[in-house]
């Protein structure tokens, strides 16, 4: 019996878990995947939006601006990569100028600071690769970029260090209201809790509708991307947005916190809540649209493509509240963009709802600081040599594209909620994220995982479940 069960270890569930871990309360997170950050939180633009997009007065607008303000301090407490680089929305015709002006007014209504309309000379001075057709641009200095995996993993790790239990490979199949709480049936047994937080991403409607007669409906809205090599990373210095359209913010071009260039996403409503495949049409649409606002995009430097699903609820706002007719069931639904930006504020709001309902008391021993994985690249040569002498694994490079050593991989495996798969190592260290996309380092990372976890090479997967990489090996050869 738990006080609170959170469904989903994405950025929303992990932020709620971390905020709740400040209190004397027994919390458990149930996640169907093998790791944190396996849903939409791993496949997005990684932008910390300034907050001019959402409709004034909406919960989305409020939590966007609040989350943006919290991100700097949080990145220091939890050591994940975040840079406040600013963003530009590009307007290419005089007819569209009122739309840009309206966006600025909307941002000001939402409380976004420092918004400015730039003329073409000012915009091109900031971003020389902008299209020469630029008529004006909305500059938002408070926008930023964040490592989505870094943020999600840091929140979850810190929650775990403060006593929250995480149960992976545990798929919730049904929820029933029972005496004094809820019964959750999963593929690994039954769980009971007095309160449930429904942070199941694109599946949040399914769980809500199991306990409430006021139905929600979430449409998966697919966004596809190209990721470009680090050689293209400085093509722009800030996030470059198109003017927003009916289905969202349009195709953007942005540097990432790790120095790559990201181009996308598309926006297409689909039926399949697992439909994260990329498509020929989607990628062709990115190629066509990306060049409209940024010149000479080096699309030959694409190293991979991927897609994520926005959890678009029909009302187009975040729903973070107790379900009217299911006391104790707290929805965290419709968390589409800017859900990553808003996550710190989403976590806070969920914890506030439960603090009041459950009269929670603060824990005196809450530890809010978390050490990130040590990155020797940030060290001077002298410091790096000292580290290698003390711990030789840091001198053994495993991923040559990203220069990731065995030391970092060992840290990723042995820390709280450590990596158990190739993708788990990749999201924590970047081993396998570079130009060769794990072509060279996969076998070496697998050997380390097998050795450290005490399992055979056949048991190492790419991403849990049935994604094993080796079958039918001759053990004598290995
Ligand atoms: C294309 C795209 C671009 C975006 N760009 C940005 C951006 O730049 N900035 C920004 O702020 N936001 C952005 N977003 C939005 C942001 O990524 C999401 O709002 C956020 O990641 C949602 O997090 P979540 O935890 O609510 O959902 P998820 O990350 O999807 O987490 C839900 C979790 O629930 C688990 N789950 C589901 N069903 C079950 C079950 N039955 N049992 C157990 N576990 C279950 C899933 O496995 C998953 O781990 C973007 C989204 C997309 C798709």
């Amino acid at each position: 019996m738990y006080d609170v069960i959170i469904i989903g270890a994405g950025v929303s569930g992990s932020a709620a878990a971390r905020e709740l871990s400040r209190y004397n309360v027994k919390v458990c997170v149930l996640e169907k995947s093998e790791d944190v950050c396996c849903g939409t939180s791993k496949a997005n633009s990684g932008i910390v939006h300034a907050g001019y997009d959402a409709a004034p007065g909406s919960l989305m607008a409020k939590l966007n601006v609040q989350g943006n303000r919290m991100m700097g301090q949080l990145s220091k407490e939890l050591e994940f990569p975040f840079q406040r680089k600013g963003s530009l929305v590009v307007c290419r015709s005089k007819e569209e100028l009122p739309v840009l002006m309206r966006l600025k007014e909307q941002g000001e209504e939402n409380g976004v600071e420092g918004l400015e309309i730039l003329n073409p000379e000012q915009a091109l001075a900031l971003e020389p690769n902008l299209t020469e057709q630029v008529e004006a641009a909305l500059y938002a200095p408070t926008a930023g970029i964040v490592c989505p995996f870094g943020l999600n993993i840091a929140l979850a790790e810190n929650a775990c260090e403060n006593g929250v239990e995480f149960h992976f490979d545990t798929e919730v199949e049904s929820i029933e209201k029972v005496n004094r709480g809820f019964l959750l049936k999963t593929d690994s047994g039954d769980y009971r809790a007095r309160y449930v937080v429904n942070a199941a991403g694109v599946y949040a409607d399914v769980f809500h509708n199991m306990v409430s007669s006021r139905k929600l409906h979430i449409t998966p809205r697919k966004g596809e991307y190209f990721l470009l090599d680090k050689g293209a990373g400085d093509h722009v210095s800030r996030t470059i947005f198109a003017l927003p359209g009916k289905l969202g913010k349009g195709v953007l071009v942005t540097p990432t916190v790790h120095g790559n260039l990201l181009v996308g996403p598309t926006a297409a409503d689909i039926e399949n809540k697992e439909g994260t495949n990329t498509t020929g049409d989607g990628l062709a649409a990115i190629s066509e649209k990306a060049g409209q606002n940024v010149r000479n995009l080096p699309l030959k430097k694409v190293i991979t493509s991927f897609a994520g699903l926005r959890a678009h609820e029909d009302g187009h706002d975040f729903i973070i509240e107790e379900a009217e007719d299911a006391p104790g069931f707290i929805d965290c639904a419709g968390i589409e963009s800017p859900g990553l930006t808003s996550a710190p504020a989403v976590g806070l709001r969920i914890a506030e709802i439960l603090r009041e309902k459950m009269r929670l008391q603060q824990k005196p021993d809450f530890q809010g600081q978390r050490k990130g994985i040590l990155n020797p690249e940030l060290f001077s040569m002298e410091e790096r040599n000292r580290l290698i002498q003390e711990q030789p694994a840091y001198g053994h490079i495993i991923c040559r594209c990203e220069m990731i050593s065995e030391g970092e991989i060992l840290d990723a495996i042995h820390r709280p909620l450590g990596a158990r798969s190739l993708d788990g190592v990749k999201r924590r260290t970047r081993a396998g994220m570079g130009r060769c996309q794990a072509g060279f380092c996969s076998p070496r990372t697998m050997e380390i995982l097998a050795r450290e976890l005490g399992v055979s090479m056949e048991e190492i997967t790419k991403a849990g479940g049935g994604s094993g990489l080796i079958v039918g090996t001759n053990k004598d050869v290995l």
Side-chain angles (χ1 to χ4, degrees), residues 90-94 96 131 133-136 243 292-293:
V90 177
C91 172
R92 286 181 285 120
S93 73
K94 285 204 167 57
E96 286 175 325
T131 171
Q133 291 162 15
V134 58
E135 274 293 335
L243 272 181
Q292 289 175 351
N293 294 317

Coordinates of all heavy atoms in Angstrom, one line a residue, residues 90-94 96 131 133-136 243 292-293:
V90 N 10.6 34.3 -36.8 CA 10.8 35.0 -38.0 C 9.5 35.3 -38.8 O 8.7 34.4 -39.0 CB 11.8 34.2 -38.9 CG1 12.0 34.9 -40.2 CG2 13.1 33.9 -38.2
C91 N 9.4 36.5 -39.1 CA 8.2 36.9 -40.0 C 8.8 37.4 -41.3 O 9.7 38.2 -41.4 CB 7.5 38.1 -39.3 SG 6.3 38.9 -40.2
R92 N 8.2 36.8 -42.4 CA 8.8 37.0 -43.7 C 8.0 37.9 -44.6 O 8.3 38.1 -45.8 CB 9.1 35.7 -44.4 CG 10.3 34.9 -43.8 CD 10.6 33.6 -44.5 NE 9.7 32.6 -44.2 CZ 8.8 32.0 -45.0 NH1 8.9 32.3 -46.3 NH2 8.0 31.1 -44.6
S93 N 6.8 38.3 -44.1 CA 6.0 39.2 -45.0 C 5.3 40.3 -44.2 O 5.0 40.1 -43.0 CB 5.0 38.4 -45.8 OG 3.9 38.0 -44.9
K94 N 5.1 41.4 -44.9 CA 4.4 42.5 -44.2 C 3.1 42.2 -43.7 O 2.6 42.6 -42.6 CB 4.3 43.7 -45.1 CG 5.7 44.4 -45.3 CD 5.5 45.9 -45.8 CE 6.8 46.7 -45.7 NZ 7.9 46.1 -46.5
E96 N 2.1 39.5 -42.5 CA 2.1 38.7 -41.3 C 2.5 39.4 -40.0 O 2.5 38.9 -38.9 CB 2.9 37.4 -41.5 CG 2.3 36.4 -42.4 CD 3.2 35.2 -42.6 OE1 4.4 35.4 -42.8 OE2 2.7 34.1 -42.7
T131 N 17.1 34.0 -43.2 CA 16.8 34.3 -44.5 C 16.8 35.8 -44.8 O 16.5 36.6 -43.8 CB 15.3 33.8 -44.8 OG1 14.9 34.3 -46.1 CG2 14.3 34.3 -43.8
Q133 N 14.9 37.3 -46.5 CA 13.5 37.8 -46.6 C 12.9 38.2 -45.3 O 11.7 38.6 -45.2 CB 12.6 36.7 -47.2 CG 12.9 36.4 -48.7 CD 12.3 35.1 -49.1 OE1 11.5 34.5 -48.4 NE2 12.8 34.5 -50.2
V134 N 13.7 38.2 -44.2 CA 13.1 38.5 -42.9 C 12.6 39.9 -42.9 O 13.3 40.9 -43.3 CB 14.2 38.2 -41.8 CG1 15.5 39.0 -42.0 CG2 13.6 38.5 -40.4
E135 N 11.4 40.1 -42.5 CA 10.8 41.4 -42.4 C 10.9 42.0 -41.0 O 11.1 43.2 -40.8 CB 9.3 41.3 -42.7 CG 8.9 41.4 -44.2 CD 9.2 42.8 -44.8 OE1 9.2 43.8 -44.0 OE2 9.4 42.9 -46.0
A136 N 10.8 41.0 -40.0 CA 10.9 41.4 -38.6 C 11.0 40.1 -37.8 O 10.8 39.0 -38.4 CB 9.7 42.1 -38.1
L243 N 6.6 31.5 -37.8 CA 5.4 32.0 -37.1 C 4.5 30.8 -36.8 O 4.4 29.9 -37.7 CB 4.6 32.9 -38.1 CG 5.0 34.4 -38.1 CD1 4.1 35.2 -39.0 CD2 4.9 35.0 -36.7
Q292 N 13.1 27.8 -45.2 CA 12.4 29.0 -45.4 C 12.9 30.2 -44.5 O 12.9 31.3 -44.9 CB 10.9 28.8 -45.1 CG 10.3 27.9 -46.2 CD 8.8 27.6 -45.9 OE1 8.3 27.8 -44.8 NE2 8.2 27.0 -46.9
N293 N 13.4 29.8 -43.3 CA 13.8 30.9 -42.4 C 15.3 30.9 -42.1 O 15.8 31.9 -41.6 CB 13.1 30.7 -41.0 CG 11.6 30.9 -41.2 OD1 11.1 31.8 -41.8 ND2 10.8 30.0 -40.6

